[in-house]
Amino acid sequence: METQAVRPRSPLSQLTLRALLALPACLALWWFLLREPLLELLFHPVRWTALELWGTRVFDLVVTGESWNLQTLLPLLQKPLTLAEIQLFPTRFTVVFPLFWGLVLATPVAPRRWLQLVGGTALVLLPAVVALVLLYAQFELGSHINHYVVVGQQPPEFWLLALPYPDWQYHAMAVGRQLALLVLPTLIPVAVWAAFNQRWLNGAMRDAAASFQARTARG
Amino acid sequence: MNGRHLLPLLLAALALGGCGESADAYRAAVRTQIEQGPAAALPALTRLAEAGNPQAQFRLAMLLLEGAEGVPRDGRAALDWLSQAADKGEVGARYYLGHFAHQGFGGPRDPGRALALLSSLGGQGYAPAQFDVAHMYEQGIGTDPDPATAVQWYARAARGGFTQAAERLEKAYRAGELGLTADPAEADRWRRIAHPGSF
């Protein structure tokens, strides 16, 4: 009987197979256990930064169930003693964390894996996610003030007593919102993971290129 | 960096620091009003208003106008605070002073002043004021009737998201009002602007 040598899996295949296990596990961990603790972790830096950035426009940020309420100092047109509140839904941004954890855990040879997980989460992802929530909050604030539809977002029924932002600024806020909601939550964890595991990634790419060339040469 | 450059930077930093303090103090006054009622917030708001904080001046004016719980109604003082806040550019103060001048609240009706106040606010892009100015030009309030100018102001307000302005233009284009030729296609365009989700 002829035996065939088992060819070791390529690093990229190993990553893919491990990611198929690690990503769902991390997403489940996030969804069922860690969503709320992560939101609590984010809340204070977001609140502090919002008050620093928009001191004359923001009264406070409070948690109300699943959402955060940005209480503004901007009076309503019809009830000038009542201040406007803007509902924010920040949970979606915390998906950055399980994506990063899943990738780090799936990497076959990750230097200082636990340091990557803890340091990457605390020092890189946390500030990045705070920035994402602020980009989103800034657009919501702008939408309540400028009051016309951009990126398909309907403004509220009520009007505020505040001058609108210049058009270019409002559109820049809309771009910021789109980036914060659609692009950066997936790009950031991948970029941070790639930066931490550059050496392994280079090796995996070289291996993939060599194997592609070998297959091409064999015809 | 030499001292000549450092001084303006230092002054700017101090000014910004001052703004932050004023904003914190105003926030604290609003918190007092929410948690303990308007009467408890009155001393802090008055202090801030006297120090020249336009947000506090506007809020104090509104409290005095409304005669909120524990705060005696005082229209004269309210108008004084509104004027001071309006001089500093406070949007609410300018908007309400414009309306009060139109209604004759706290003095004789002064539609010309109302138009001036609301036009200046509308000129800075505030759509509700633009709608009011358009209406005044349409009706000849504070000015001679001028449908062409009214259409311009309605269009600005509509583009700024003020639904009633777009609806007025839709009606005008459908019925050929405001000196416009009836144009169903243009009417439909303004209807789409008024109700962007309905098509």
Side-chain angles (χ1 to χ4, degrees), chain B:
Chain B
M1 187 181 288
N2 61 27
R4 223 178 28 188
H5 292 113
L6 205 60
L7 188 64
L9 272 180
L10 195 64
L11 288 175
L14 282 174
L16 281 175
C19 288
E21 264 174 40
S22 177
D24 287 345
Y26 177 63
R27 209 179 288 128
V30 172
R31 193 177 292 284
T32 307
Q33 189 196 327
I34 292 168
E35 289 171 0
Q36 297 168 37
L42 206 56
L45 280 174
T46 308
R47 239 188 342 268
L48 282 166
E50 282 167 355
N53 181 314
Q55 284 177 301
Q57 289 170 342
F58 176 65
R59 178 159 282 269
L60 183 58
M62 287 296 143
L63 282 175
L64 292 168
L65 270 178
E66 220 172 70
E69 198 184 312
V71 180
R73 197 174 281 197
D74 186 345
R76 172 68 41 209
L79 284 177
D80 284 346
W81 286 123
L82 273 186
S83 298
Q84 290 190 42
D87 288 344
K88 293 191 180 70
E90 225 289 327
V91 176
R94 291 159 70 195
Y95 185 79
Y96 273 87
L97 271 184
H99 276 267
F100 291 161
H102 177 38
Q103 292 159 4
F105 179 84
R109 283 189 73 222
D110 189 349
R113 181 162 180 255
L115 185 64
L117 281 162
L118 292 170
S119 299
S120 119
L121 200 50
Q124 288 181 286
Y126 191 58
Q130 290 169 344
F131 178 77
D132 293 333
V133 172
H135 179 73
M136 291 171 95
Y137 274 107
E138 182 185 345
Q139 299 295 322
I141 299 168
T143 177
D144 293 329
D146 184 347
T149 308
V151 168
Q152 284 173 17
W153 281 103
Y154 277 130
R156 287 179 75 176
R159 278 188 222 103
F162 206 82
T163 306
Q164 289 99 311
E167 285 171 347
R168 178 71 191 98
L169 284 174
E170 182 209 347
K171 185 168 171 279
Y173 273 107
R174 224 170 275 292
E177 297 170 352
L178 293 173
L180 299 167
T181 313
D183 182 344
E186 192 65 6
D188 286 344
R189 192 172 78 83
W190 286 109
R191 178 163 169 69
R192 279 194 294 277
I193 290 172
H195 305 285
S198 65
F199 284 83

Side-chain angles (χ1 to χ4, degrees), chain A:
Chain A
M1 206 164 86
E2 199 177 329
T3 54
Q4 205 170 13
V6 180
R7 190 176 177 275
R9 285 188 204 285
S10 74
L12 284 182
S13 307
Q14 286 181 46
L15 175 75
T16 310
L17 287 173
R18 291 173 67 124
L20 284 175
L21 283 175
L23 279 172
C26 289
L27 285 166
L29 186 72
W30 162 69
W31 186 257
F32 293 109
L33 284 177
L34 296 176
R35 256 184 321 158
E36 285 186 16
L38 284 170
L39 282 174
E40 278 173 32
L41 207 63
L42 287 169
F43 177 75
H44 291 288
V46 170
R47 180 178 175 272
W48 183 84
T49 320
L51 289 174
E52 286 299 311
L53 279 178
W54 309 307
T56 54
R57 302 205 145 182
V58 170
F59 173 61
D60 207 350
L61 183 70
V62 293
V63 181
T64 45
E66 281 280 295
S67 68
W68 291 354
N69 262 20
L70 190 71
Q71 301 176 323
T72 75
L73 283 171
L74 302 171
L76 300 182
L77 175 70
Q78 302 296 347
K79 291 183 191 167
L81 284 172
T82 307
L83 301 172
E85 291 199 1
I86 300 171
Q87 253 191 331
L88 304 175
F89 296 94
T91 308
R92 61 187 86 176
F93 300 103
T94 57
V95 77
V96 167
F97 297 102
L99 290 180
F100 173 71
W101 299 333
L103 284 171
V104 172
L105 292 175
T107 311
V109 187
R112 299 192 187 93
R113 197 185 303 271
W114 291 106
L115 193 65
Q116 277 192 39
L117 285 172
V118 176
T121 299
L123 300 178
V124 187
L125 295 191
L126 203 62
V129 176
V130 168
L132 295 185
V133 178
L134 289 168
L135 280 174
Y136 159 65
Q138 171 71 85
F139 172 77
E140 290 297 320
L141 190 62
S143 161
H144 279 67
I145 293 172
N146 279 49
H147 222 278
Y148 58 82
V149 180
V150 285
V151 292
Q153 289 305 297
Q154 293 286 341
E157 293 284 307
F158 54 83
W159 280 83
L160 302 181
L161 284 161
L163 283 181
Y165 292 100
D167 281 347
W168 69 267
Q169 219 171 328
Y170 184 39
H171 284 272
M173 287 175 200
V175 172
R177 173 201 183 267
Q178 297 300 79
L179 285 174
L181 281 174
L182 305 175
V183 181
L184 296 175
T186 41
L187 194 65
I188 287 173
V190 174
V192 176
W193 164 78
F196 282 173
N197 296 282
Q198 218 169 351
R199 187 177 291 178
W200 178 85
L201 204 54
N202 285 340
M205 290 301 174
R206 272 198 301 275
D207 181 85
S211 129
F212 177 75
Q213 276 172 350
R215 270 207 308 275
T216 317
R218 277 204 301 271

